[in-house]
């Protein structure tokens, strides 16, 4: 998408040469996803969102069609109609969908709302990339570039974009995931027994990233807070120094309470959006830090989460390509709720059944090489193995440990790290590779299994 923008404009020859160099190198890789192949002109005709059964599927089809069209993919087809963005969508998603609608309206020679163009221009004129997120920023640029009246806004947006180009010539989906990544790594190190002094500066930095609403954003550049980052940050701060960070934790608990939906579950970003298993598991683990104060919320959340489990023991995967991520998050929340709060008998029975089904699924999908894959029948990888070990440790199912340790030992690099396929999906279901999280997820698995 950046390459097309720079080809259509002038004044950025060095950036254009670098991004072309990156794309040439990327085309020679043997681990390209279906989306990668489509964008590089190597598409095999498959539906890039086949099998994506999710409440965001309609929006994602619009987004994917706009991305392909903006990138110049000839096979890009107009998406089915999608309703206007509603108040439950988070900040950049509303603006992103507006840009997609503008792109496709122009492609169809339909009228374009000048108010939509002005909105996108205002977002481009900001001093930094909106919410630190490259993808909507790129869509804003593609939507506005054909309109001479917005040339100044496009020029400013391109200046911001080029300033964030990476040394390899490419661009990630966001400027950074610094808050989210730091919270996960810090949680893993703390659970593994790293001394408090070693993480003091990390705790200070994360505490300072707390937003006015009590939650945390995935990056310091974003104002939109989320349950995902709030979960791991609060687990870390509570384990690190609960007394010292009591005000931050209290504000975080208020944020989590306010995000809960009427069905008992939690969404990622905004109350009223569909509840998600992984977010609900994280929220339960956080509220159970003070179970007596949050008994009503915990009971409602545990009831919803146990009831939403699939018959095979899995949960909707959320922001991960691996089943184990949501399973671990759900198990973390349900085990913590069960262990720290007397649940009503009907809820306690449902929780016990859900935990047994999750454990049975993990044991049933344990590969012969000792590891786990992203889904049943997939090749093992260290991240999925870390998720499974973390969940089984909480569930006190220990018999897979020897073969799992042998698998991880065989996969570990001399520097202590691991190689694994991309696990995070952002935006869902498009994979984004965050290598620093691979050893962190393995460490969390080993730490929980070793308790």
């Amino acid at each position: 998408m950046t390459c097309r923008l720079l080809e259509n404009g002038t004044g950025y020859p060095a950036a254009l040469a670098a991004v072309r160099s990156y794309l040439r190198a990327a085309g020679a890789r043997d681990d390209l996803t279906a989306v990668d192949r489509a964008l590089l002109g190597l598409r095999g005709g498959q539906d890039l969102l086949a099998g994506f059964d999710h409440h965001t599927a309609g929006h994602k089809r619009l987004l994917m069609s706009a991305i392909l069209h903006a990138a110049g993919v000839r096979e890009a087809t107009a998406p089915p109609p999608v309703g206007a963005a509603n108040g439950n969508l988070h900040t950049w998603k509303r603006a992103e969908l507006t840009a997609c609608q503008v792109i496709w309206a122009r492609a169809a020679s339909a009228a374009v709302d000048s108010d939509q163009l002005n909105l996108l221009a205002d977002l481009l004129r900001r001093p930094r990339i909106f919410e630190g997120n490259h993808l909507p920023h790129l869509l804003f640029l593609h939507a506005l570039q054909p309109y001479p009246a917005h040339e100044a806004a496009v020029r400013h947006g391109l200046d911001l974009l080029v300033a964030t180009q990476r040394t390899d010539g490419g661009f990630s989906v966001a400027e950074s995931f610094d808050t989210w990544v730091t919270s996960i790594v810090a949680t893993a190190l703390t659970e593994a027994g790293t001394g408090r002094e070693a993480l003091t500066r990390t705790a200070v930095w994360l505490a300072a990233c707390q937003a006015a609403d009590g939650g945390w954003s995935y990056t310091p550049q974003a104002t939109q807070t989320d349950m995902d980052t709030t979960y791991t940050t609060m687990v870390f701060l509570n384990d690190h120094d609960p007394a010292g960070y009591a005000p931050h934790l209290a504000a975080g608990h208020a944020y989590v309470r306010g995000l809960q939906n009427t069905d008992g579950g939690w969404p990622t970003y905004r109350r009223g959006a569909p509840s998600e298993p992984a977010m609900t598991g994280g929220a339960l683990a956080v509220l159970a830090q003070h179970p007596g104060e949050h008994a009503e919320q915990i009971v409602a959340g545990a009831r919803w989460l146990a009831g939403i489990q699939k018959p095979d023991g899995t949960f909707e995967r959320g922001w991960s390509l691996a089943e184990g991520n949501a399973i671990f998050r759900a198990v973390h929340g349900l085990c913590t709720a069960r262990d720290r709060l007397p649940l009503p008998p009907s809820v306690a029975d449902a929780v016990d059944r859900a935990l047994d089904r999750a454990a049975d699924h993990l044991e049933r999908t344990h590969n012969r090489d000792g590891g786990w894959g992203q889904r049943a029948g997939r090749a093992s990888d260290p991240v999925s193995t870390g998720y499974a070990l973390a969940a089984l440790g909480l569930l006190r199912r220990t018999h897979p440990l020897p073969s799992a340790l042998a698998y991880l030992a065989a996969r570990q690099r001399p520097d202590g790290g691991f190689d694994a396929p991309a696990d995070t999906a952002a935006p869902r279901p498009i994979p984004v590779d965050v290598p620093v999280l691979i050893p962190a997820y393995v460490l969390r698995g080993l730490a929980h299994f070793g308790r």
Side-chain angles (χ1 to χ4, degrees):
M1 293 174 72
T2 301
C3 188
R4 291 274 293 183
L5 286 167
L6 298 181
E7 287 173 342
N8 291 337
T10 59
Y12 306 94
L16 177 57
V19 79
R20 282 173 169 168
S21 175
Y22 169 83
L23 291 172
R24 283 194 298 271
R29 292 170 51 176
D30 59 4
D31 60 345
L32 297 175
T33 67
V35 175
D36 295 331
R37 293 181 59 81
L39 293 171
L40 290 168
L42 306 172
R43 187 177 179 184
Q46 70 273 38
D47 180 355
L48 300 181
L49 293 179
F52 182 58
D53 182 17
H54 193 262
H55 68 266
T56 63
H59 290 152
K60 291 301 166 54
R61 290 196 175 277
L62 173 59
L63 173 62
M64 183 60 69
S65 294
I67 289 172
L68 295 175
H69 179 78
V73 177
R74 283 192 295 253
E75 296 90 343
T77 56
V82 174
N86 62 57
N88 292 332
L89 292 175
H90 50 284
T91 53
W92 63 82
K93 185 57 63 178
R94 292 199 305 271
E96 183 181 272
L97 291 176
T98 297
C100 292
Q101 289 164 344
V102 169
I103 289 169
W104 273 111
R106 180 175 175 81
S109 299
V112 175
D113 189 335
S114 61
D115 288 341
Q116 290 182 318
L117 297 177
N118 291 332
L119 168 66
L120 300 179
D122 287 342
L123 294 174
L124 282 181
R125 282 193 289 263
R126 295 189 177 194
R128 296 199 63 165
I129 289 175
F130 179 57
E131 296 288 77
N133 198 323
H134 278 135
L135 182 55
H137 186 80
L138 285 164
L139 290 165
F140 302 163
L141 287 167
H142 277 281
L144 289 179
Q145 195 175 50
Y147 298 94
H150 297 290
E151 181 179 355
V154 170
R155 171 65 63 173
H156 179 67
L158 287 171
D159 288 342
L160 294 178
L161 178 65
V162 169
T164 65
Q165 189 170 28
R166 295 177 176 243
T167 55
D168 63 4
F171 294 83
S172 183
V173 69
E175 283 191 73
S176 81
F177 297 97
D178 285 356
T179 314
W180 178 65
V181 167
T182 299
S183 69
I184 293 172
V185 172
T187 298
L189 290 170
T190 300
E191 290 173 343
T194 300
R196 180 172 161 181
E197 293 80 6
L199 295 170
T200 296
R201 288 191 302 159
T202 304
V204 170
W205 185 83
L206 281 171
C209 290
Q210 188 172 30
D213 65 5
W216 278 264
S217 304
Y218 80 98
T219 176
Q221 284 75 53
T223 61
Q224 175 66 65
T225 50
D226 63 83
M227 188 63 242
D228 200 12
T229 310
T230 299
Y231 155 61
T232 42
T233 302
M234 291 187 68
V235 168
F236 166 62
L237 292 179
N238 187 71
D239 287 348
H240 178 78
D241 186 1
Y245 290 102
H248 298 83
L249 292 167
H253 287 133
Y255 170 82
V256 175
R257 290 195 302 270
L259 197 60
Q260 187 174 26
N261 280 328
T262 55
D263 63 9
W266 275 264
T268 300
Y269 295 108
R270 294 197 171 186
R271 189 175 191 270
S275 298
E276 302 181 45
M279 299 303 116
T280 301
L284 290 175
V286 165
L287 293 182
Q289 292 169 351
H290 295 285
E293 298 176 21
H294 305 120
E296 182 179 348
Q297 291 86 2
I298 292 171
V299 169
R303 180 186 293 113
W304 181 85
L305 184 54
I308 205 69
Q309 187 182 34
K310 297 179 182 179
D312 65 356
T314 64
F315 296 86
E316 191 273 316
R317 288 178 290 167
W319 294 91
S320 174
L321 300 178
E323 292 174 336
N325 180 286
I327 292 175
F328 165 61
R329 296 274 291 268
V331 166
H332 191 190
L334 292 174
C335 282
T336 308
R338 179 195 63 185
D339 295 346
R340 297 185 185 177
L341 183 73
L343 298 173
S346 61
V347 177
D349 289 344
V351 167
D352 286 341
R353 289 193 299 272
L355 293 174
D356 284 342
R357 283 194 295 267
D360 291 344
H361 174 82
L362 291 172
E363 291 183 342
R364 187 170 61 249
T365 57
H366 186 206
N367 289 332
R368 291 184 179 182
D369 62 5
W372 280 263
Q374 291 184 341
R375 304 180 76 172
R378 299 283 179 87
S380 298
D381 69 83
V383 170
S384 299
T385 300
Y387 292 144
L389 286 177
L392 290 170
L394 290 168
L395 293 164
R396 302 293 187 266
R397 299 277 190 104
T398 59
H399 76 267
L401 179 60
S403 62
L405 290 179
Y407 167 78
L408 289 173
R411 295 294 303 272
Q412 191 170 33
R413 301 194 308 256
D415 65 0
F418 298 85
D419 297 312
D423 162 71
T424 300
R428 295 178 282 195
I430 302 173
V432 57
D433 196 14
V434 190
V436 70
L437 292 183
I438 299 173
Y441 288 136
V442 172
L443 198 57
R444 287 201 82 183
L446 294 173
H448 280 280
F449 209 91
R451 289 182 177 180

